[in-house]
Amino acid sequence: MGSFDALYAHLPVWAQHGTVSAYGMYWRWLRFGRNFGGPYAKEYRERGAWPAEQMQAWQQEHLRNLLHAAATKVPYYQRAWSKQEQAAAMAGRLEDLPLLEKDPIRAQPKAFLRYDMKPWPRLVFHTSGSTGTPIASIWTVEEMRKSMAVREVRSAGWAGVSFRMPRATFSGRLVEPNPESNGPFYRFNLAERQVYFSPFHLRPDTASSYVDALRRHGVQWLTGYAVSYYLLAKFILDQGLNVPPLKAVIAVSEKMTPEMREVMERAYGCRVYEEYGSVENAFFASECEQGRLHVSPDIGILEILRPDGTPCEAGEAGEVVATCLMREYQIFIRYRVGDVAMWDPAPCPCGRTMPILKEVFGRIEDVVIGPDGRQMVRFHGIFVNQPHVREGQIIQEDLNRIRVKVVPTNGFGPADSQDIIRRVQQRLGPSVEVIVEPVDQIPRTAAGKFQAVVSLLRERGVAAAERTGLAQY
Ligand SMILES: [Zn+2]
């Protein structure tokens, strides 16, 4: 815990609200200050309506500038790229450049900064990876405002809401430091009229106080962790809680399944939209009114690649690799995001020409391997229509052994366990040993995120699912 967090933890709740609001003033300036509502939002709105060729030309020009800067002004690429790769960069040939792993960024985040830029202040964010050292991503204030402007226009805007309206957020911020707290389980940021919910305290017996906070602060839309909103939605339906009118939910961070979306739409009485990006903001995709996930080509170049490095066809699953155009200070070229996704060739009835992702399958880290080598992602299916399971987690302990932790509700019995075992064996083969373990709760990561799959194989370095066979599902 940092010294600020330690100090915050000792304040009374009213002073914590005040601290959050004071901090909120600073953040409002960072995110929504000069250029946010004016030029940036306007530019994203205009470019979003461009014909595809115009957007491509814009993208190519910005890519050329970026690659030139990387080859001549960024220490990491000057050192790591071969002569041929330097030449490819100077010629603007992205496809001839190597993929960028997370490790070099983790080890030396400042080696990716342009040395000819000296922005002040510099913002440093740490990604919330579940294992290993976090990655420091380093931003200028203007980049921060651009990233919020594109959200305002193409995420909130498409969902019919705005960051100017009161909202609630589930994020990794430690807003309630006391794990034994009796509430409130949120803090209010007056500067943005924003309720910060704690994902760590959400339980059946606390759910109604979360809903009360929505009403008390006139919240009009929700954004943040998909799994937290899904769990709150289940509690709302189970307990028949009365939710104030909401305009939209924009789910981020974790993969949302159709079942999660359906439960959330019923509980909150409004549409649920998905936003897909990375903490590093190497790329950005958001859902339009027609329910399609459009990639913003002016934020980053997103490639979907086969294991041999060639681009996937539409409808073929592959690894997501991103080159960030929006962030020009700390430069990431062909960054391996760690997700698996596929393109959708069908044009969208909304008329926007921005490319469409048919499906995002989730993290490569979430791959589970069967004894015969088959690989599976999307284990959510195991828990669909399990009426007596509140949440569950898959732990791969060995090639032959899967532990399924479940938080049971009343009525959970041997038949439910048998059904879960059957579903896992259907996916991984009958020789897999499946242990169903009822638990009181499933711990969140340090950032408050829910981890659907934990692979002890990978932690031991036994299997490398990252490189092979990703096109199988
Ligand atoms: Zn669309």
Side-chain angles (χ1 to χ4, degrees):
M1 194 186 280
S3 57
F4 178 82
D5 289 341
L7 181 68
Y8 176 88
H10 284 94
L11 295 173
V13 168
W14 63 266
Q16 289 178 348
H17 284 298
T19 307
V20 166
S21 293
Y23 197 55
M25 297 273 284
Y26 167 66
W27 270 92
R28 187 175 64 176
W29 172 79
L30 278 184
R31 299 196 287 194
F32 304 108
R34 191 170 53 86
N35 290 340
F36 162 78
Y40 294 156
K42 186 162 166 277
E43 285 168 21
Y44 286 118
R45 200 167 286 118
E46 284 173 0
R47 282 199 293 270
W50 278 355
E53 308 76 55
Q54 194 177 357
M55 185 69 108
Q56 267 161 19
W58 188 98
Q59 194 186 48
Q60 284 308 308
E61 186 195 331
H62 282 75
L63 175 65
R64 271 196 304 278
N65 294 340
L66 188 82
L67 294 182
H68 187 274
T72 58
K73 299 185 177 73
V74 178
Y76 173 80
Y77 300 109
Q78 290 186 295
R79 200 172 55 229
W81 283 350
S82 67
K83 282 271 175 294
Q84 291 90 328
E85 287 161 352
Q86 302 272 355
M90 298 302 273
R93 295 197 313 270
L94 186 65
E95 67 280 8
D96 291 337
L97 295 172
L99 302 187
L100 173 61
E101 307 287 339
K102 290 193 160 102
D103 283 340
I105 309 174
R106 197 171 271 140
Q108 284 191 300
K110 290 183 180 164
F112 291 83
L113 301 178
R114 282 176 66 145
Y115 59 67
D116 61 331
M117 282 173 70
K118 299 274 179 255
W120 188 90
R122 270 193 334 200
L123 311 173
V124 182
F125 302 96
H126 295 280
T127 54
S128 53
S130 49
T131 53
T133 326
I135 289 179
S137 72
I138 304 171
W139 296 53
T140 69
V141 172
E142 295 306 308
E143 289 166 356
M144 186 76 223
R145 289 178 187 161
K146 285 181 189 177
S147 83
M148 292 312 294
V150 76
R151 292 209 155 80
E152 171 73 4
V153 172
R154 296 188 196 153
S155 184
W158 292 356
V161 294
S162 162
F163 281 92
R164 294 186 173 87
M165 298 174 179
R167 70 187 187 279
T169 308
F170 264 112
S171 72
R173 287 198 193 182
L174 196 68
V175 292
E176 169 52 89
N178 175 11
E180 307 294 319
S181 164
N182 294 316
F185 307 106
Y186 73 94
R187 297 296 179 266
F188 185 60
N189 167 14
L190 188 64
E192 291 186 28
R193 294 187 294 167
Q194 178 185 18
V195 171
Y196 275 113
F197 280 135
S198 165
F200 303 98
H201 298 79
L202 181 59
R203 302 183 305 260
D205 60 306
T206 60
S208 65
S209 89
Y210 283 75
V211 175
D212 289 344
L214 298 177
R215 189 173 293 107
R216 180 169 314 121
H217 295 289
V219 165
Q220 296 188 36
W221 63 290
L222 313 177
T223 182
Y225 290 174
V227 169
S228 298
Y229 281 119
Y230 167 66
L231 285 177
L232 180 58
K234 287 226 286 194
F235 300 148
I236 287 169
L237 294 176
D238 288 348
Q239 301 173 30
L241 300 174
N242 193 5
V243 178
L246 295 168
K247 292 187 161 68
V249 179
I250 300 180
V252 301
S253 194
E254 293 113 338
K255 172 71 195 147
M256 188 167 51
T257 63
E259 187 225 10
M260 288 167 71
R261 191 189 287 256
E262 188 270 325
V263 168
M264 286 156 74
E265 294 193 337
R266 249 186 316 133
Y268 300 119
C270 62
R271 264 198 59 186
V272 174
Y273 296 78
E274 191 168 22
E275 188 182 295
Y276 172 50
S278 67
V279 182
E280 302 85 8
N281 264 75
F283 64 96
F284 180 77
S286 49
E287 189 177 322
C288 74
E289 308 82 351
Q290 301 291 333
R292 311 279 290 278
L293 198 55
H294 290 272
V295 175
S296 285
D298 46 351
I299 295 295
I301 297 177
L302 194 148
E303 300 172 86
I304 300 180
L305 301 179
R306 296 180 180 134
D308 68 359
T310 55
C312 289
E313 303 282 331
E316 180 186 356
E319 176 181 355
V320 174
V321 169
T323 298
C324 187
L325 297 176
M326 186 269 289
R327 291 179 53 211
E328 298 170 308
Y329 176 44
Q330 188 189 36
I331 296 182
F332 293 164
I333 310 274
R334 303 197 93 194
Y335 174 62
R336 301 184 75 167
V337 173
D339 288 348
V340 178
M342 75 168 59
W343 292 116
D344 189 345
C348 184
C350 79
R352 297 182 185 94
T353 59
M354 291 182 272
I356 300 162
L357 291 172
K358 187 176 192 119
E359 192 140 23
V360 180
F361 294 93
R363 312 289 301 170
I364 292 177
E365 284 83 6
D366 288 351
V367 173
V368 171
I369 306 165
D372 58 358
R374 76 174 101 166
Q375 300 178 7
M376 298 287 314
V377 287
R378 311 200 76 199
F379 260 83
H380 299 92
I382 297 218
F383 301 111
V384 170
N385 294 327
Q386 289 281 354
H388 305 128
V389 174
R390 195 198 305 152
E391 55 187 28
Q393 183 179 52
I394 310 284
I395 301 165
Q396 176 149 40
E397 296 184 335
D398 214 327
L399 272 181
N400 294 307
R401 194 168 63 246
I402 300 287
R403 185 175 296 274
V404 184
K405 287 189 178 177
V406 295
V407 180
T409 60
N410 287 338
F412 185 86
D416 298 288
S417 288
Q418 281 309 318
D419 192 37
I420 291 170
I421 291 168
R422 187 182 55 80
R423 291 184 189 204
V424 174
Q425 289 179 336
Q426 266 177 352
R427 289 162 170 81
L428 289 178
S431 66
V432 156
E433 181 193 359
V434 185
I435 304 153
V436 178
E437 181 188 340
V439 293
D440 290 338
Q441 56 177 330
I442 290 168
R444 301 300 192 254
T445 67
K449 281 193 194 176
F450 179 77
Q451 226 183 332
V453 175
V454 177
S455 175
L456 303 183
L457 281 184
R458 191 155 304 104
E459 283 172 20
R460 295 205 305 265
V462 174
E466 277 89 339
R467 303 284 189 286
T468 53
L470 287 172
Q472 289 171 11
Y473 27 89

